[in-house]
Amino acid sequence: MYSDDLTDPIAFTTRGGVSVRRTAQPCSPDVLDDLVQAVNGRRGGVLSSGMEYPGRYSRWHLAYADPGVEIASRGRRIAARALNGRGRVLLPVIARALLEHGPETAEPYAPGADLVEVEVPESTEVVPEEERSRRPTVFSALRSIVAAFASEADPHLGLYGAFGYDLAFQFEPLRLSQQRDPADRDMVLHLADSLIVRDRKRETCVRYSYEFTVDGLSTDGLDRATEPTPAVVAKEVPPRPEPGSYAAVVERAKERFVRGDLFEVVPGHVLHAPCDAPARFYERLRHRNPAPYEFFFNLGEGEYLVGASPEMFVRVSGRPDPDGPGLRVETCPISGTIRRGADPLEDAANIRSLLNSAKEESELTMCTDVDRNDKSRICVPGSVRVIGRRQIEMYSRLIHTVDHIEGRLRPGFDALDAFLSHMWAVTVTGAPKAWAMQFIEDNEASPRRWYGGAVGHIGFDGAMNTGLTLRTAHIRDGVAAVRVGATLLYDSDPAAEETETYLKARALLETLALTGDEPERAEEPAAERAGAGMRVLLVDHEDSFVNTLADYVRQQGAEVTTLRHGFDPARLDRLRPDLVILSPGPGRPADFRTDALLDELAARELPVFGVCLGLQAMVEHAGGELSLLREPVHGKPGRVRVDRSELLEGVDDLFTAGRYHSLYATAEHVKGFSVTARTDDGAVMAIEDPERRRWAVQFHPESILSAAGGNGMRIIANVLRLARR
């Protein structure tokens, strides 16, 4: 049975004869915070998504602690361990699944034992490539475990955990050149029997609890607690890689590109930092660097994984339909990276640069072509499609381009086939994949362990949701190892690629630096704002941007009064402004009788700042002339060159500003002012007369086109300081 109301109690029997009863109880989201702390000291996992990209990712949160069973592998040896009495109830059915794949001489399972372990023998049989995912490996045993618990009745019951990079060598054998620690595990999965699931879209938070009956024995009434894991004890942090060491690997890769051995490759290197509080690190990381795949696993044996991965590995969804297309398989390869800007305007410029980069486009093209090939091995002919091309995803430090690819599984293939066919994603290996992985094996300084593998969930309902183990810290003995890489092509610049790896690591390393127990520094008091205590009169020439201009002035601490043009000059005496701003506006200065107002302001020796129409008014009032542009520039960026200028102090000598005008002045037609900025075609962009305290700009400092680097606000602050002085 399947219930669409996930709070309904249900009972069902799995394909392997396990009776399951699920109860559901609404709970407070605060329980998730408690579980994070629990996982700090006991086996368990926390998975969340902090990103909302329609069609790809939605926001959710899931956590569990004290799983009943742990399944782990080392090489071709796979073991299931009962972690409490509840796990002992489940172990017989798991043992039967494992022993199907061990040698005939495998030790039989002893009822009541806490451990069952088999080694899956190598096969010498040559199989077609289409069947490579069915060769005997630890995944064969894993498939049998999933089959024993298979049921479409519940979407959450399944195996949660981590898959290490070396698992790929059971699917694609390579010549290993690095020394491995035989104690290192390649896979750790938990069968959790109590889960908290928060769906932020539905605004629900539910605790799901499961009871099992196997061979007449039930978990009812048995304690869920497991043994605490060892406390984190800090060891010495290894030094950083030598500067230039990654660039040297890039140089070696470029030689292989020339020979045609590689099209692209993604080598990495490792940075280290202290971490004695994995739970605190996870919480800070997901708030500082939201990502589609945020995770925190206590894998036992002193190992933790904490990450905020931007990339899906393999997601399998839907319900099997014998008469229709198979389950949906999705991937979202990421390739193409640029840093975030200081503001949305700089973000937009960086996105434009990223999308216009032929190198970045080639990187993603090769990744997608390889990914499509991976799917074609196990998908219905014609079902593999690119459904999103070079889509932008934005993170706390980086902007990426992403493709979205889907296919439908052919009859006879399941989620594990999809998982194996994609090992490992081209975005962390390269192309051709086997040759790229061999280059990585030969040129990285240490085994990858968990990096480049995957984390996530294998559902007993046939679904799967996994993310690549990127932007991840592997914590052991109080030391966090952060491995980062870059996608290399023939036209890669070695120094730039090395710099990119450090940029990718920044979010994790900065967050690790904040996870100690020391108090955070108090913020320094803000400097006094330029307009503090000043009164400003803003004259409105029926303009569409006057309120934004007033807001900029108020942000600098000034009190602003806005009056529509044509007011009685006696108001000037009552207001006694410290500065008068002449706003932009349509038409010509004469339409607003600006000469009369400027005479009144001069008589009172009041400082004046003109914007656009305000500049034009001041030019004509001083006896200058205006001309008409061949084509108006409304809402368009202009490159402004600055001469020596108090008004534009702190602004780059060449900067971009927002223009909205048809009239303009040239330097030879401006009288009584110094021209301090202009465009390349000679249009005056700023004038100044410090003696009479008159300043003006032809562009709009309040426009978003003038906001890059804070230039617009800086100009407003400058004129307020000049008027005060």
Side-chain angles (χ1 to χ4, degrees):
M1 62 175 292
Y2 184 90
S3 171
D4 288 324
D5 183 351
L6 297 182
T7 60
D8 285 347
I10 60 173
F12 57 93
T13 301
T14 72
R15 194 184 305 164
V18 180
S19 296
V20 183
R21 188 176 75 257
R22 187 199 75 188
T23 57
Q25 184 177 2
C27 60
S28 166
D30 294 342
V31 177
L32 288 163
D33 298 331
D34 297 336
L35 271 174
V36 171
Q37 298 308 314
V39 172
N40 204 59
R42 306 202 302 277
R43 284 174 171 84
V46 185
L47 298 105
S48 55
S49 176
M51 306 296 289
E52 188 81 35
Y53 281 111
R56 292 202 295 284
Y57 305 119
S58 60
R59 289 161 60 83
W60 52 271
H61 203 160
L62 178 150
Y64 67 91
D66 296 316
V69 177
E70 173 188 87
I71 296 167
S73 71
R74 292 174 172 86
R76 299 185 68 86
R77 197 160 191 83
I78 182 168
R81 182 185 303 276
L83 301 177
N84 54 21
R86 301 172 63 82
R88 291 188 201 100
V89 171
L90 293 170
L91 212 53
V93 71
I94 296 173
R96 289 195 288 270
L98 289 182
L99 290 169
E100 292 175 6
H101 300 278
E104 293 182 2
T105 56
E107 186 175 337
Y109 170 68
D114 287 343
L115 178 70
V116 58
E117 187 173 22
V118 300
E119 179 147 359
V120 181
E122 292 264 16
S123 172
T124 58
E125 182 183 357
V126 177
V127 298
E129 284 301 302
E130 292 80 0
E131 299 174 18
R132 180 177 286 272
S133 59
R134 293 303 174 105
R135 293 177 68 249
T137 66
V138 294
F139 284 91
S140 307
L142 190 60
R143 181 178 281 110
S144 291
I145 295 172
V146 173
F149 288 89
S151 170
E152 296 175 34
D154 181 271
H156 302 301
L157 191 60
L159 301 173
Y160 294 82
F163 303 85
Y165 181 82
D166 279 9
L167 288 168
F169 303 144
Q170 297 186 36
F171 181 78
E172 191 70 69
L174 297 181
R175 171 182 46 80
L176 300 185
S177 57
Q178 298 181 22
Q179 188 69 34
R180 264 75 176 173
D181 186 337
D184 285 346
R185 297 169 295 172
D186 301 324
M187 176 172 64
V188 177
L189 302 174
H190 297 146
L191 202 169
D193 55 12
S194 180
L195 298 148
I196 303 292
V197 180
R198 183 183 182 193
D199 185 329
R200 291 174 177 161
K201 186 169 288 187
R202 295 184 180 181
E203 297 184 349
T204 60
C205 190
V206 180
R207 180 192 296 275
Y208 295 104
S209 301
Y210 301 87
E211 300 296 344
F212 305 95
T213 301
V214 176
D215 298 342
L217 297 177
S218 172
T219 58
D220 277 343
L222 296 180
D223 191 0
R224 297 180 186 271
T226 61
E227 289 291 324
T229 54
V232 177
V233 179
K235 287 192 176 180
E236 186 176 352
V237 176
R240 300 192 88 177
E242 287 291 327
S245 58
Y246 189 84
V249 175
V250 180
E251 293 284 8
R252 292 196 290 274
K254 288 167 74 74
E255 295 172 5
R256 302 291 295 277
F257 295 139
V258 172
R259 288 168 49 183
D261 295 346
L262 298 171
F263 307 148
E264 65 178 352
V265 69
V266 193
H269 61 161
V270 185
L271 309 171
H272 296 88
C275 181
D276 59 2
R280 189 185 309 137
F281 172 43
Y282 163 74
E283 289 286 18
R284 289 192 173 177
L285 181 64
R286 75 184 190 89
H287 285 108
R288 287 170 55 88
N289 190 45
Y293 290 91
E294 305 156 351
F295 54 90
F296 169 34
F297 283 106
N298 182 339
L299 301 177
E301 300 187 13
E303 285 192 283
Y304 298 84
L305 286 179
V306 178
S309 175
E311 186 168 347
M312 181 191 300
F313 176 52
V314 173
R315 185 165 66 192
V316 178
S317 59
R319 299 187 198 175
D321 183 355
D323 301 320
L327 297 175
R328 185 187 189 208
V329 182
E330 293 174 87
T331 52
C332 293
I334 291 177
S335 199
T337 301
I338 199 166
R339 66 176 179 83
R340 286 293 302 266
D343 52 43
L345 275 295
E346 194 172 337
D347 277 345
N350 289 354
I351 289 170
R352 190 178 303 114
S353 175
L354 178 60
L355 290 176
N356 288 335
S357 168
K359 172 187 174 291
E360 303 289 355
E361 184 174 4
S362 295
E363 284 184 12
L364 187 54
T365 296
M366 283 192 268
C367 290
T368 294
D369 279 343
V370 174
D371 186 282
R372 290 167 62 236
N373 178 74
D374 292 342
K375 286 182 179 58
S376 295
R377 186 197 304 266
I378 41 88
C379 284
V380 172
S383 71
V384 177
R385 300 185 304 138
V386 177
I387 58 175
R389 174 62 173 161
R390 299 198 81 198
Q391 297 173 314
I392 293 294
E393 288 185 359
M394 302 177 72
Y395 296 90
S396 64
R397 299 289 190 276
L398 301 170
I399 303 169
H400 294 302
T401 46
V402 183
D403 282 357
H404 191 176
I405 307 158
E406 71 168 7
R408 294 284 179 170
L409 284 176
R410 293 209 312 270
F413 288 113
D414 58 20
L416 287 175
D417 292 303
F419 188 93
L420 286 163
S421 185
H422 288 79
M423 280 204 315
W424 285 114
V426 62
T427 50
V428 293
T429 55
K433 194 180 288 188
W435 287 56
M437 293 173 76
Q438 188 65 62
F439 179 88
I440 289 167
E441 175 69 15
D442 294 340
N443 287 276
E444 288 190 349
S446 61
R448 286 192 162 189
R449 289 298 317 281
W450 302 106
Y451 173 81
V455 295
H457 166 234
I458 300 173
F460 293 151
D461 63 344
M464 171 184 284
N465 192 359
T466 56
L468 274 175
T469 314
L470 300 173
R471 316 284 160 81
T472 297
H474 172 214
I475 302 163
R476 199 171 201 172
D477 299 325
V479 176
V482 178
R483 192 180 293 258
V484 283
T487 302
L488 310 182
L489 304 179
Y490 169 69
D491 46 0
S492 289
D493 175 78
E497 299 291 1
E498 181 166 315
T499 299
E500 181 180 312
T501 65
Y502 285 97
L503 180 62
K504 287 178 175 177
R506 268 183 59 191
L508 267 75
L509 296 177
E510 289 177 0
T511 306
L512 281 163
L514 295 172
T515 56
D517 292 326
E518 72 280 358
E520 296 190 25
R521 296 179 184 175
E523 291 187 8
E524 296 181 5
E528 185 177 10
R529 291 176 291 178
M534 295 180 69
R535 294 186 302 274
V536 174
L537 169 62
L538 176 54
V539 181
D540 178 9
H541 297 118
E542 301 174 23
D543 180 49
S544 296
F545 312 117
V546 66
N547 295 319
T548 305
L549 190 57
D551 179 74
Y552 270 42
V553 178
R554 291 187 181 108
Q555 287 184 57
Q556 290 297 324
E559 176 187 328
V560 180
T561 300
T562 304
L563 293 177
R564 186 69 64 92
H565 66 92
F567 57 85
D568 184 341
R571 296 286 293 271
L572 295 170
D573 302 316
R574 293 198 296 271
L575 289 171
R576 299 178 63 191
D578 299 300
L579 173 68
V580 177
I581 298 178
L582 305 183
S583 85
R588 290 178 170 269
D591 296 330
F592 304 98
R593 300 186 60 209
T594 54
D595 277 355
L597 176 60
L598 283 165
D599 286 340
E600 298 286 352
L601 297 176
R604 292 166 174 77
E605 297 185 346
L606 291 173
V608 182
F609 175 53
V611 178
C612 199
L613 181 97
L615 176 143
Q616 297 161 14
M618 292 164 72
V619 168
E620 286 194 330
H621 184 259
E625 298 178 16
L626 300 175
S627 301
L628 197 64
L629 290 167
R630 291 182 182 177
E631 294 182 3
V633 283
H634 298 150
K636 295 182 179 179
R639 299 293 283 171
V640 179
R641 294 189 178 276
V642 180
D643 296 328
R644 302 174 81 179
S645 168
E646 289 185 308
L647 176 62
L648 303 179
E649 183 179 353
V651 176
D652 290 340
D653 292 343
L654 181 63
F655 71 98
T656 298
R659 298 175 67 179
Y660 285 87
H661 63 108
S662 300
L663 299 173
Y664 75 105
T666 59
E668 57 267 26
H669 291 133
V670 174
K671 303 180 185 299
F673 289 90
S674 298
V675 175
T676 58
R678 67 195 80 197
T679 61
D680 288 337
D681 59 4
V684 170
M685 287 288 112
I687 58 175
E688 301 179 39
D689 180 359
E691 278 192 30
R692 292 189 303 151
R693 297 196 294 173
R694 299 285 196 272
W695 308 272
V697 293
Q698 178 61 71
F699 56 87
H700 284 236
E702 82 288 353
S703 168
I704 61 171
L705 296 174
S706 307
N711 286 336
M713 186 64 74
R714 185 174 291 111
I715 292 166
I716 298 299
N718 286 345
V719 77
L720 288 165
R721 292 190 188 98
L722 291 170
R724 185 195 295 276
R725 189 171 66 190

